Amino acid sequence: MRVDFHIEEELKKIPNHPGVYIMHDETDAILYVGKALNLHSRVRQYFQAGHGHNNSGKIARMVSQIAYFEYILTTSEMEALVLECNLIKEYRPRYNTLMTDDKGYPYIRVTVEDAYPRLLYSHTMKRDKSKYFGPFTNGKAVKDIIELLNKLFRLRTCGKHLPKEIGKDRPCLYYQIGQCTAPCNAYISQEDYRKNVEDALSFLNGNHKEIVSKLQTKMKQYAEETEFEKAAETRDLIESIHHITSKQQMTTSGADDRDVIAYAANETDVVVTVFFVRDGKLLGREHHHMNGNENDDPSELLTAFVKQFYSGTPYLPKEIYIEQPVYETKIIEDYLSKRRGNQVHIFVPQKGDKHKLLVLAKENANIVLKQDMERLKRQEKRTIGATKEIAELIGIEKADRMEAFDISNISGTLSVASMVVFEQGRPKKNAYRKFRLQTVIGPDDYASMKEVLSRRFTDAKMDIMPDVIMMDGGKGQVNIALMVLDSLGIDIPVCGMVKDDNHRTRGLYFNNKEVSFPKGSEAMNMITALQDEAHRFAIEYHRQLRSKHQVHSILDEIPGVGAARRKALLTHFNNVDSIKKASVEELSEVPGMPKSTAIAVYKFFHGE
């Protein structure tokens, strides 16, 4: 914290200059990032009662937390806008209106730098020698196009290093079914393979008619040569191309590229819908969530969205239709135009087809918001609702934090226990704990549970107490837990998770009686999940220990093999089975392994 910072004095020092201002609280956390054409005027507004930004309840709360501010001078307001967007993305300040999701835009990457190029799905466009096509708004469509082009031009999909690995393996299944020309075995020359790649590139560049024309010529040629099967395959490919290139959702009266943006809000959430119109055709849509609510200024919400969304998207349309005016329209247009390389305009259509698209986007945003609320309600019923139901069933105040315990061993060896934690009906995995039993010898679950509970509730690091403890078992396990808690002076409700003869969760044992679940209740599903998770976690830990124990006991019996050489062997061969199969020469290649020890290892496993 800047203890020497005096806000009134610092306000006087701010220059009349473009730049970005950053508000901090007393812990140095960034509360808000903004930009201004005149920093002196803008920042002072935050601290003038009843003026400008202070009319907003949210901003008023933010101002009350400001301990100090800083600012960065820029040469222009546009430069300030770019910096503002970058700082918001990096720090995600609490009081900035933020997009709460971050979607990527897929590309088709053609590895033209390779001798035998491939078509790949890529999440990013890198600075390499490959050619990129996109971005696309639909990841599934990208995969469909790649699959079609690979079939169409019989391109390889394998990751082999060609021509270095030519002839090392037999052709794969794709060659057998006629979907690859097998360059891996030189069944096609590099020159001919490159021609196929050029056809794929031509297709991606939009030259569909030329490709179809070539295929139609091929189809006729096959038919004339009575190669009817090849002619039929070519016909099917032509039909696939027609299907892909004609598959559009909607057309509009114009032929320009434009995005259409509308939003919907309720008391807890904001959803922004973007329609992507390319060459007059609606190609897709996206929905983005923002932290905000129905009381927020619509123009402020949409301004924040436009700045954040278009600072990250790799493609900018010529026009953006939006349902409410955005603040700083001119500077945002200039910034987007500079990124695009030619003019970008932001409009608020009031009538006609353009307005109808906005209405449609608004309807979609409302639908998504409603679906999300319904999903959240269902999720809440399965989680928080289930914990309330459990608390009511057994008559306790709450069951927000539940801890469940389970024991795992084989004939009493390598006994372990698990502790799993559910908070608000959800697994809290960073609170899970594993216990290796230290005082119990043999298969004594009661004694094991006594040790585990004693260790759990005397560990100073585990100071958060559960609302209820769930034991994997009935009366006996519950009584052990109550005895341990009583000895420690701890009062926590304890339940036993009881199973039926088919090993399915039946009910809870609590206060010396069994409580049954209502049929199909969320409480029953929750307890079943808790019991299964405790069992899984214990079994998994036991399996890990057992595996380590077996490795340790086998390798340590070999003369000359200690901890260091055991580790070197496992690092080199990965597992014991590979060590067993290794020759003396291969064993001698292990770093630090003398020939005599390699012979000893070999003889141990081969009985010589």
Side-chain angles (χ1 to χ4, degrees), residues 298-316:
S299 291
E300 184 180 324
L301 280 171
L302 291 172
T303 300
F305 175 80
V306 167
K307 289 197 286 189
Q308 292 173 54
F309 180 73
Y310 288 109
S311 69
T313 180
Y315 179 80
L316 287 165

Side-chain angles (χ1 to χ4, degrees), residues 287-324:
H287 305 293
H288 295 265
H289 289 262
M290 302 191 74
N291 62 334
N293 58 58
E294 58 194 6
N295 297 317
D296 289 333
D297 176 2
S299 291
E300 184 180 324
L301 280 171
L302 291 172
T303 300
F305 175 80
V306 167
K307 289 197 286 189
Q308 292 173 54
F309 180 73
Y310 288 109
S311 69
T313 180
Y315 179 80
L316 287 165
K318 184 178 179 180
E319 298 176 341
I320 297 171
Y321 298 162
I322 197 159
E323 67 167 308
Q324 295 282 346

